[in-house]
Amino acid sequence: MTTATSATAEEIARRVLATEAEALGTLAARLPGDFAAAVELVLETRGRVIVSGMGKSGHVGRKIAATLASTGTAAFFVHPAEASHGDLGMVTPDDVCVMISNSGETTELGDLIAHCARFGVPIIGISKREDSTLMRAARLRLTLPEMAEACAIGLAPTTSTTVTLALGDALAVALMERRNFRPEQFRTYHPGGKLGARLATARQLMHAGAAVPSVAADTPMSEVLIVMTARGFGVAGVLDAEGRLAGVITDGDLRRRMDGLLDHTAGEVATPSPVTVGPETLAAEALAVMNQRAITALFVVDAAGRPEGVLHLHDCLRAGVA
């Protein structure tokens, strides 16, 4: 049975979003005083960050732990009820515990709070009640501002969970930036899916070693054709005496020079000063270069201009970079 309301679904949605947006603005303006100290505490921690919470706070806590773990801070979630049945052994004196409870009086957190007190595990409490059991036990207190829940009856955890989640994101990003967490490190924890593909580098996707189609400048074009056909990239790199990439020969160059092609050397046919990328260039950036230049392959060169590999358009597409 549903209760009638004069508001449309769109009006309700806008009210909810406006309420939660206002709460986030309030949090940004009234950031908890212990926030900076919490960042420093985690940075100094030799162990892991243990996140715990019950109910909706637990769901938010799982996400916070996952975000911390994926951005360079070792973290995992411990369910407070399971902690009372053996999982307290996961929490060591080297750890720091982040406990979440909107009221600060979540009964299931009791054993975990007592365990932390017994073994000197510092607690970072997240709650809206400064005088609650949780916050009194916490070394650092991330007190949430008073805010109205977005539901009509003011009881369902909505605004409070949104604000808690955002505070967890702020903590994770602050730690991430303090650690100077780089894109290549981020990919280490996100090797799969579209995100991992976007963070792949040219080095990770390129063909290297004997697969690189390279010839000397004085190589007859008859031999260049054999190299291009054998490697299958539709391109050959022409090297100077020091082994640097001096030019490239593409299928297009062959078509343009068909008349008397075999009477020339690689250096005479090659297009000089080719476009290249470095080995640490993101594959997405390399793909953009290929699209802009209407080419299908790029040589990957080191700082001295010597080829380390060749990256083909199809390599990027297969990896899901596009």
Side-chain angles (χ1 to χ4, degrees):
M1 180 178 179
T2 59
T3 302
T5 176
S6 59
T8 66
E10 290 83 359
E11 289 171 339
I12 296 171
R14 292 189 185 96
R15 186 197 72 225
V16 170
L17 295 174
T19 299
E20 297 193 357
E22 181 180 358
L24 289 173
T26 299
L27 178 63
R30 295 166 50 191
L31 196 64
D34 283 348
F35 183 82
V39 171
E40 295 303 321
L41 177 60
V42 174
L43 288 172
E44 295 167 2
T45 297
R46 292 180 298 174
R48 293 86 33 94
V49 176
I50 312 300
V51 185
S52 190
M54 194 70 188
K56 303 300 185 295
S57 293
H59 295 311
V60 171
R62 288 182 187 277
K63 193 275 180 184
I64 292 174
T67 300
L68 288 168
S70 71
T71 54
T73 299
F76 63 88
F77 179 82
V78 171
H79 194 287
E82 295 295 341
S84 299
H85 294 273
D87 284 0
L88 284 175
M90 297 180 178
V91 186
T92 75
D94 289 334
D95 299 331
V96 61
C97 194
V98 176
M99 298 190 200
I100 306 169
S101 171
N102 192 43
S103 69
E105 299 295 343
T106 303
T107 303
E108 290 84 354
L109 287 174
D111 288 340
L112 185 55
I113 292 173
H115 178 83
C116 289
R118 179 183 178 186
F119 292 99
V121 180
I123 297 173
I124 299 173
I126 301 179
S127 175
K128 69 178 182 181
R129 288 184 53 194
E130 186 76 25
D131 62 344
S132 62
T133 300
L134 170 59
M135 298 301 252
R136 288 197 303 270
R139 178 182 300 184
L140 298 175
R141 302 168 181 83
L142 301 183
T143 307
L144 303 174
E146 283 293 332
M147 65 201 79
E149 299 290 5
C151 70
I153 61 175
L155 296 176
T158 47
T159 307
S160 57
T161 51
T162 297
V163 169
T164 303
L165 184 61
L167 185 60
D169 287 342
L171 180 63
V173 172
L175 290 163
M176 180 181 178
E177 295 190 14
R178 285 293 305 278
R179 296 183 195 279
N180 192 28
F181 196 73
R182 299 182 300 277
E184 56 268 28
Q185 293 172 286
F186 196 80
R187 187 181 186 275
T188 299
Y189 302 122
H190 300 77
K194 191 70 174 179
L195 184 56
R198 285 177 55 197
L199 295 171
T201 62
R203 186 192 301 278
Q204 292 166 322
L205 299 183
M206 71 183 187
H207 301 265
V212 180
S214 58
V215 296
D218 60 357
T219 303
M221 282 305 299
S222 58
E223 296 181 22
V224 174
L225 291 174
I226 294 173
V227 171
M228 292 179 67
T229 301
R231 301 298 188 271
F233 298 112
V235 65
V238 180
L239 309 183
D240 64 16
E242 285 74 38
R244 296 173 301 211
L245 186 69
V248 295
I249 300 173
T250 66
D251 287 337
D253 293 322
L254 299 181
R255 289 191 294 271
R256 285 186 290 271
R257 299 292 296 271
M258 283 299 295
D259 186 20
L261 176 67
L262 300 183
D263 297 329
H264 294 282
T265 63
E268 293 170 339
V269 176
T271 299
S273 303
V275 178
T276 62
V277 295
E280 302 309 320
T281 301
L282 290 179
E285 296 176 13
L287 179 61
V289 171
M290 285 188 269
N291 287 333
Q292 291 166 3
R293 299 296 183 113
I295 57 179
T296 58
L298 276 174
F299 277 88
V300 181
V301 300
D302 62 17
R306 292 183 290 266
E308 290 194 4
V310 62
L311 180 66
H312 196 276
L313 175 70
H314 292 163
D315 300 322
C316 298
L317 298 179
R318 276 193 295 268
V321 175

